[in-house]
Amino acid sequence: MRKLLLLLSVWLGCITVSQAQSRVITGRITDSSGVPVPAATIRIKGTKTASMADNDGKFSIKANNGDVLVFSSSGVVSQEVKVGPNTNELNIRAHYETQNLAEVTVTTALGIKRQQRELGYATSQIKTSELNQAAVVNAATGLAAKVSGVDIRLADNGVNPQVKVTFRGSRSIEGNNEALIVVDGIPVDQQYLANINPNEIDDITILKGSNAAALYGMAASNGVMLITTKKGRGRFSLTYQNTVSAERISYFPALQNTYSGYGGEGGSGPNPAGGTIYFVNPLTGTANTVPFENEAYGAPYASLDFHTDSIPIGEDQNQHWYYVPWKSLPNGRKDFFQTGVGDQNELSGGFSNKWGGLFFSGDHTTKQGVVPYDTYQRNGGRITLNANLNRLTVQVGVSYYNVSTNIAGNSYDQYRPVYWNVMNQLPSTDLKSIKDISKFQYNQGFVNAYFPNPWWQVFNSRSKSSNDNLLSNVTLSYKINSWLTATGRTGYSKTWENAPSYIDSIIFPDFIVNGGAGPLGGSSLGVFPGSQTQQQHETVKAHYDDWNTDVFLTGTKRYGDFKFNLVAGGNYRARTSWGDWYSNQYYTQQVVGANFIPSFPSKVLHSDGSADAYFSYKRYDQSVYADLTIGYDNWLFLHGSFRNDWTSILDPKNRSFSYPSVDMSAVLSDKLEFLKNSETISFLKVRLGYAGTGNVSLDGYTRLGVMGNVGAGTDNSNIPGGYTYLLPNFGAYAIYPVAGVIPGFPYGNNGGYSQSTNLVQAGLKPEHTNAEEVGFQLGLLKNRINLEVNYYDQQSSNQTIPLQASTSSGVISYTTNAGKVDNYGVEVDLSLNPVIRVRDFRFDMSGNFAYQNSKVINIAGGQAELDQINFGTTSIGGIFAIAGKSYPQIMVTDFKRDPQGRMIVDGSSGLPSLNPNPVDAGSGNYKYFLGLSPSFSYKNLTLKAVFDYRGGAKILNEQANAMDFAGIYAGDATNRQAFVVPNSVIEVSQGKFVPNTNVPITSVGGLPTAIFWWANYYNQAGAPYVTSADFWKLREVALTYAFPMKWFGKQDVLKKLDFSLIGRNLFMWRPKANNMSDPEFSTNATGNAVGYTTEFQTPPTRIFSASIRATIF
Amino acid sequence: MSPKNKNIYLLALSALIALASCTKKLDTNLHDPNGTPSSQLTGKDYFAGALVEIIFNKQGINLYNATDNYDYAHQWMGYFARNNGWAASGNQQTMEDFQLTNNFGNGVWGSLYHNIYDLNFVIANSSKGSILPGAARALRTMLFQDLVDQYGNIPYSQAENPLVTLTPVYDSATTIYKDLALQIDTALSVIQASQSTADDASDVMFNGSKTSWTQFANTIKLRILMRQVPNGDMTYVKSEIAQIQNNGGGFLSQDALVQPNFANLPTKTNPFWAAYGPGSQNYNSFCANVLMINFLDSINDPRVNYYYKPLSNGTVGGEQFGNNIYAQNGTTSTYGAGVLKNASQPGVLMLASTSLFMQAEAVQRGLLNGNAATLYQQGVEASFNFLGFSNAVATADAYMSGSTNGMVNFAASTNPLQTILYQKWIAECCIDGLEAYNDYRRTGFPFIAVPSYGAPGVPMPQRLLYPETEYTQNPVNVNAQNQTADDINTPIFWAK
């Protein structure tokens, strides 16, 4: 075929030459990433002569010298090329227009394509090239800062980080605020974003608001992310892409490197080097270094008061002590982290013809973490077949992915993450030098008595997970007649999780086992009987499946100037999940409390002391829906939809509910005369919409496992450290809380039940959201400047809230419909295409801005008298919802302060005291978002960047608080001697405060020194650890060179070759006060309680990559 | 109708049929396979659990907050202390310095109220004629008294009824105390009217014995009344005690022990063993308190080796409470075999000796008819018996008669009340620190010269502060109490 074409063009070319005037010009039109643009129109300007490109982007047209060829296509910027005497072959690189042009078609709910002009609501689209410009591993991270109103929040920095995706802020206080993810028409869990290869995605359409999402019903009250995977297109071709990356810690917390270890011990211990080590110098009364300490409140390294020039850190087999130099090593801890190397390989290919097409892809991605030996692997692929059989079109897609991670687990005692055990070493510790733990007498290779050597953990505590995911879909569309089509679509997905974790057996030295003192003093690690613990082993197994079917009719009919588009159908969705948590965590003698599976009713004890707990959930939903758009004269559109849902998880009386939506749009630039003729304004559309949606805010996850901490921890008092796996429970059975079981029961026939600490209101209703939005789209100067502005306001009432009760009421929470949230914002998307174009140089710019605010109007309702809700707190603060304030709100403990905010201290001790009422410390959610995406191209070279600013939020860095306890935070090098609290006041009489200039703190915690100010006093309050969470980030930089094909001579294989250098998260600019971590991180990984980080999130990183991409055939 | 239209209607019809066939599936979630809803359970399913819950709160690691239970009272009363090899942190430090905050005692508050909530379920949902509602009412009264004794005014009249209010108001401690006595009267009448039912199997303390429950309820009432001696309305106390004596049921003469069949199996052990036994974190974190060791040594009391495990050299050693002076390895004792017996030992809800010493004090004060010396002797015997002395009665008698010390030999005592209360303090060692702390605040016995070596000269607190959770979840009502940090020194109404 190809040869034939070539012959044809040569032949036609001959004719052209012979006729000297008119000749055939051939060529190909592709987009900026080399993908063919099918069916583009090629017109000779000023004539009716036109031609159309084929599916492969190839075209030919007869033209004369001096003719101007106009290339145009839906969604693509028109280009004009003048035919010169030597113009025979043209390769046109098309640029996609931003989507606010009249002709653009967009994907809407149920995958139905609509013209943008018809829509009365906001949508955005991201193409594969833009999504993948920085070679992301997780698709969601490729969206950050590229679309207004889309909040992508990376929860942590593990090898498989959790990403939270929300659109337009938060509507639900306690329920789910995450967008619904739909892949090729099939809803999937948000966790699926980690399973899909981003290169397989053709485009992502964001249905930001309720109107856009109304057809998806309750599942979509938070907006929908429609992911469309690639299909075969044009003639057969294969693309291979390889990306190699290197990831390094970029911002490490600020540390003090001046002082050595001392934790408040009196007394002394024998010095392995001979003599005695006095922990407090008997002559001066000052603290000497204590080698086994983690708290760095000892003597300064610069002093000479340690007995030798080295510190003992452990014994070898022959009771010889190892020593480290008596000096501070500022990078001794940071250098524990390695450069993580990643490798992504992707091969994809496909073709299409008039009968249909085929696409397939395979992905093999490996990644090392910055924590040594942490690994991630993703393997899988996808096949999509589509067939056009007369009236019937068929699409079948199947994908299968395995994502495996193997990460260092928690430590054996307090289930601490590696990062925390790294931080809790003294400034003199060179972690690299103690990697070989086998040289120590005891296999835990500990260097301080309270926190294990993190290398022990790396080698002996592992947490693995293997997640398999199958996603399949079949869509059949039958064209019943010229105006009516019936579509049936069914999708089935199944996920299997297998997550074994273990902590190996440990042999403790006798002095640890026996507790109390030893050659070097005490330890809190001495919790184990005998000389070893058994291997602790835990396995979480789970699977869940989701079967979703839609059947609907779509019809389009015209009556005169009116055009009607109708969609009507029904949906059925069935979900089940099952989980098994197995643990043999127990010690030889210790029993109660050692078995870490809480006493779930389904817990089964085995004779060897191990146990399983089983969980199973089912949920069914069904719905009917209808959607009608009436267009008048192709400029005015009125649209309405209606959906009724039935769900099994609510009480039979309340399980049926409906949502109406109505909106309209008017393309004024097509109607108003002065706009029609305007040279400046090329497009103007205004729109207005209302939608009612519901959210059954009971969806949740059941936490299985404690050992395989996945990065973000949780604040669950029953479970130390975090969790291994979140099993979706769909909110099934949530309205019927089950009785708890007292630990140890059943004994014989005695069940030992205990009432649930949660009570649920009888007749609980879904949350209801009324959403209004208005907006306009404006194209200026032939759409060179595109502006889209939206304003939305969503009021969610009937919030489903587990009201926090006084425990004296008998329960801890009462789940009820109470409360209202108002969520409003402005979104602005602006693109300048191009800003500058000078010959081959082109500079494009797009930017987006969003303001969003979620405000709690009220919480109280019915019997509830509470005005706030908390999400789980630590002793220093927590994340709350408070009537009248932004949501979510950080509340912290603070010291008592005078009206001017100065700390009130005691007139004799100089010490401040705690205010028993928590104080407001600001919003945990960002309010301002700004994304800037400049793009430069010069000939074959392009440079793209993405800047991301977020503002208006605060962050509670709990880790800084813990670091103050350990005396390792940068500020801890100060205020060790008696000192006057800066900017403090003394209350001389009620309400009268005078500045404190002369009452110093001389004693803290019963010690005759202020040395433990940071550890035992200052860190009792949370307020000092709240900083601004604002940041600027350089998220992405990608420099790509497209090799000119002529370099490869005449060959028929290689069609395209690109090479890119990519940087991700290269720079972050934060306010000076925030010297801890990435404020985007969140302990509550995918929940609502953002604004709070701990030691479970490793430090931020930057990633450098090199990528090569080749297309053949 | 054209054939094409027929297709549409057929399609619509089949869709409707498909939907209709699914409605049954919508009932799927009415029954949770992962547990049992309360609606399907009755009092007997809760009662055994509620008894064990009390043991957890009293003697084990608190169920709802692993950091605080009655450890504080045990340490303040000189029973045990922090092993100084372990640096104090958080609540321990606060507690040693007597600088209690609102974060201290959250667990005590929350778990007692939840315990009462479970007992309320038993009272409301037991089978007809069952003894459980009466027994549960007596237990509930005891727990409410424990709350008042630690916090003073507390939510009472509106408490434990979440469907009515989630934010109960606080009632005055004196009003509550009056009502507690009436509650026992009701409990007694329910117990008296009960018959033996299948519910008895869940009574893992008295196995449904009317006699024992009557004695227990009478003893709790005596405990409520004696707490008001000598600072309360003595006329009221005297008439109420007379009323108890008149009902003829008598007082507890056996240890009230909870035994659901604790066993040396994972999760099945006695909560005290689990919390403080070998292998527990506390085993090495806490040790004997030299205050008690020295006192027992001074009166040649053989129980010292039963409360504390002798060291390799045969002596017992300990730490001073609040002291940060580091003790050398191997110089401190853990709990002895009298209190830490084995993994399957029963939980102690109340000691017989507590009951007997209370009666002895009442007789001594002329509030109850009887012989104080005999009751005193029986109290000491019961203590020896509990600790597992062989020939406990004879050994105890020999201990008393062989001593000339007025703290031991009742006949030699110059201050019989003091002797009774000191022996009560000894008997409750490592078992019932809260009761000892109550007596300390009420009578000043035992005299403790240095309450905390971490805060010399600072008096021992008189109460706990309302917990932080009340300030976040019941702010209006807790703020109405106007409590300040200094209120830790404000005595409960019955204290001096």
Side-chain angles (χ1 to χ4, degrees), chain A residues 791-975:
Chain A
Y791 171 80
Y792 61 88
D793 188 345
Q794 309 175 326
Q795 306 94 37
S796 301
S797 49
N798 271 345
Q799 293 276 336
T800 306
I801 294 175
L803 286 174
Q804 297 293 301
S806 161
T807 42
S808 63
S809 71
V811 296
I812 293 172
S813 60
Y814 176 64
T815 303
T816 183
N817 287 127
K820 188 172 176 182
V821 171
D822 189 7
N823 168 241
Y824 52 93
V826 176
E827 295 159 349
V828 180
D829 287 86
L830 177 68
S831 65
L832 305 166
N833 298 315
V835 181
I836 302 166
R837 179 158 55 185
V838 182
R839 292 207 185 95
D840 290 330
F841 176 79
R842 185 181 162 119
F843 168 37
D844 290 31
M845 182 79 185
S846 65
N848 62 78
F849 166 80
Y851 167 79
Q852 67 188 29
N853 192 8
S854 302
K855 203 173 164 188
V856 180
I857 303 301
N858 62 59
I859 289 175
Q863 306 137 342
E865 293 146 15
L866 298 177
D867 62 352
Q868 58 189 30
I869 290 170
N870 85 50
F871 284 95
T873 55
T874 66
S875 58
I876 59 162
I879 309 297
F880 290 72
I882 299 165
K885 301 211 170 187
S886 285
Y887 167 85
Q889 200 74 8
I890 304 169
M891 297 290 284
V892 289
T893 53
D894 195 6
F895 297 106
K896 284 182 182 155
R897 293 178 190 275
D898 75 353
Q900 293 178 46
R902 296 173 296 187
M903 233 184 248
I904 304 168
V905 300
D906 185 83
S908 55
S909 71
L911 284 165
S913 55
L914 281 174
N915 177 350
N917 297 307
V919 300
D920 176 3
S923 167
N925 258 350
Y926 289 104
K927 288 183 180 167
Y928 306 96
F929 295 76
L930 184 61
L932 294 174
S933 304
S935 155
F936 306 88
S937 66
Y938 178 72
K939 292 191 173 165
N940 287 2
L941 204 59
T942 56
L943 175 67
K944 293 181 173 185
V946 176
F947 291 91
D948 186 356
Y949 168 79
R950 299 184 196 180
K954 293 283 171 60
I955 186 98
L956 171 57
N957 287 303
E958 202 210 4
Q959 193 193 347
N961 176 280
M963 282 167 64
D964 269 349
F965 176 77
I968 52 178
Y969 198 30
D972 302 344
T974 61
N975 295 347

Side-chain angles (χ1 to χ4, degrees), chain A residues 386-560:
Chain A
N386 54 301
N388 309 316
L389 310 163
N390 196 9
R391 286 167 173 252
L392 183 70
T393 59
V394 181
Q395 184 181 315
V396 180
V398 180
S399 75
Y400 190 89
Y401 273 96
N402 173 276
V403 172
S404 298
T405 58
N406 184 342
I407 60 173
N410 295 327
S411 56
Y412 46 79
D413 177 26
Q414 297 180 334
Y415 294 83
R416 303 280 205 180
V418 165
Y419 180 30
W420 190 231
N421 291 321
V422 168
M423 297 306 290
N424 260 295
Q425 307 299 334
L426 292 173
S428 52
T429 311
D430 176 13
L431 283 172
K432 270 186 166 168
S433 75
I434 53 170
K435 181 177 176 183
D436 178 13
I437 58 173
S438 67
K439 71 181 183 184
F440 294 98
Q441 181 183 8
Y442 305 105
N443 70 0
Q444 84 283 17
F446 78 99
V447 285
N448 83 51
Y450 302 93
F451 289 83
N453 181 342
W455 289 108
W456 182 90
Q457 195 171 354
V458 165
F459 297 128
N460 297 297
S461 171
R462 300 301 299 176
S463 174
K464 302 172 188 177
S465 87
S466 174
N467 178 293
D468 289 89
N469 182 283
L470 170 77
L471 180 62
S472 59
N473 65 77
V474 178
T475 306
L476 298 171
S477 255
Y478 183 76
K479 202 167 166 60
I480 296 168
N481 57 32
S482 62
W483 61 274
L484 193 63
T485 301
T487 303
R489 176 186 292 141
T490 190
Y492 177 75
S493 71
K494 190 165 180 88
T495 303
W496 297 264
E497 177 80 14
N498 188 3
S501 301
Y502 67 85
I503 297 177
D504 225 329
S505 53
I506 311 149
I507 297 173
F508 287 94
D510 286 346
F511 73 89
I512 293 289
V513 176
N514 294 333
L520 287 176
S523 166
S524 68
L525 297 184
V527 299
F528 301 105
S531 63
Q532 63 176 27
T533 68
Q534 308 206 357
Q535 186 187 64
Q536 303 178 57
H537 192 99
E538 178 181 81
T539 307
V540 169
K541 283 183 185 153
H543 55 78
Y544 65 94
D545 57 68
D546 189 338
W547 187 41
N548 185 79
T549 303
D550 272 291
V551 177
F552 56 92
L553 291 167
T554 47
T556 306
K557 199 137 190 159
R558 286 175 190 281
Y559 294 100

Side-chain angles (χ1 to χ4, degrees), chain A residues 517 526 591 648 746 754-755 806 865, chain B residues 29 167 265-268 284 470:
Chain A
V591 190
S648 68
S754 174
Q755 292 204 80
S806 161
E865 293 146 15
Chain B
N29 294 132
T167 54
L265 290 170
T267 78
K268 300 272 188 197
N284 292 318
E470 283 295 288

Side-chain angles (χ1 to χ4, degrees), chain A residues 487-712:
Chain A
T487 303
R489 176 186 292 141
T490 190
Y492 177 75
S493 71
K494 190 165 180 88
T495 303
W496 297 264
E497 177 80 14
N498 188 3
S501 301
Y502 67 85
I503 297 177
D504 225 329
S505 53
I506 311 149
I507 297 173
F508 287 94
D510 286 346
F511 73 89
I512 293 289
V513 176
N514 294 333
L520 287 176
S523 166
S524 68
L525 297 184
V527 299
F528 301 105
S531 63
Q532 63 176 27
T533 68
Q534 308 206 357
Q535 186 187 64
Q536 303 178 57
H537 192 99
E538 178 181 81
T539 307
V540 169
K541 283 183 185 153
H543 55 78
Y544 65 94
D545 57 68
D546 189 338
W547 187 41
N548 185 79
T549 303
D550 272 291
V551 177
F552 56 92
L553 291 167
T554 47
T556 306
K557 199 137 190 159
R558 286 175 190 281
Y559 294 100
D561 282 343
F562 290 94
K563 183 179 152 197
F564 295 87
N565 280 314
L566 175 74
V567 182
N571 172 271
Y572 172 75
R573 191 175 182 192
R575 283 175 278 179
T576 63
S577 68
W578 177 90
D580 169 14
W581 176 359
Y582 167 84
S583 170
N584 81 345
Q585 283 177 279
Y586 70 106
Y587 311 122
T588 318
Q589 296 287 318
Q590 188 181 9
V591 190
V592 175
N595 197 322
F596 277 78
I597 300 180
S599 30
F600 293 112
S602 63
K603 183 170 160 180
V604 177
L605 282 170
H606 305 305
S607 56
D608 66 349
S610 61
D612 278 277
Y614 300 95
F615 306 87
S616 68
Y617 304 95
K618 277 184 193 156
R619 173 175 176 171
Y620 297 95
D621 298 293
Q622 46 189 267
S623 64
V624 291
Y625 47 78
D627 180 281
L628 178 67
T629 308
I630 304 169
Y632 172 69
D633 200 16
N634 204 32
W635 72 273
L636 185 65
F637 301 89
L638 181 67
H639 163 255
S641 74
F642 177 84
R643 172 160 168 147
N644 198 97
D645 280 346
W646 291 264
T647 181
S648 68
I649 65 165
L650 289 179
D651 186 275
K653 283 186 215 108
N654 298 311
R655 66 164 62 133
S656 165
F657 39 95
S658 57
Y659 325 100
S661 91
V662 59
D663 53 73
M664 61 176 293
S665 77
V667 183
L668 299 177
S669 52
D670 279 14
K671 188 65 188 170
L672 302 177
E673 286 303 317
F674 73 96
L675 288 174
K676 265 167 125 175
N677 303 324
S678 165
E679 286 288 308
T680 321
I681 295 174
S682 27
F683 182 78
L684 176 64
K685 180 179 120 176
V686 294
R687 51 186 167 68
L688 179 68
Y690 161 83
T693 57
N695 184 7
V696 182
S697 272
L698 295 167
D699 281 46
Y701 295 96
T702 302
R703 296 191 172 101
L704 305 186
V706 297
M707 285 168 63
N709 192 284
V710 291

Side-chain angles (χ1 to χ4, degrees), chain B residues 87-116:
Chain B
S89 57
N91 277 345
Q92 178 72 26
Q93 185 71 57
T94 335
M95 193 259 282
E96 290 185 8
D97 296 343
F98 296 152
Q99 289 175 340
L100 302 189
T101 67
N102 302 98
N103 279 322
F104 187 83
N106 279 349
V108 172
W109 177 280
S111 49
L112 279 173
Y113 273 110
H114 189 263
N115 206 169
I116 294 168

Side-chain angles (χ1 to χ4, degrees), chain B residues 178-223:
Chain B
K178 282 264 158 56
D179 190 65
L180 292 179
L182 297 174
Q183 289 290 325
I184 291 291
D185 296 345
T186 311
L188 280 165
S189 64
V190 176
I191 291 165
Q192 286 310 312
S194 71
Q195 302 115 39
S196 180
T197 66
D199 286 7
D200 294 352
S202 69
D203 175 10
V204 293
M205 189 157 84
F206 293 139
N207 197 25
S209 160
K210 272 167 86 164
T211 313
S212 299
W213 278 110
T214 304
Q215 288 177 349
F216 177 77
N218 280 340
T219 311
I220 293 299
K221 186 163 179 183
L222 181 66
R223 191 177 84 145

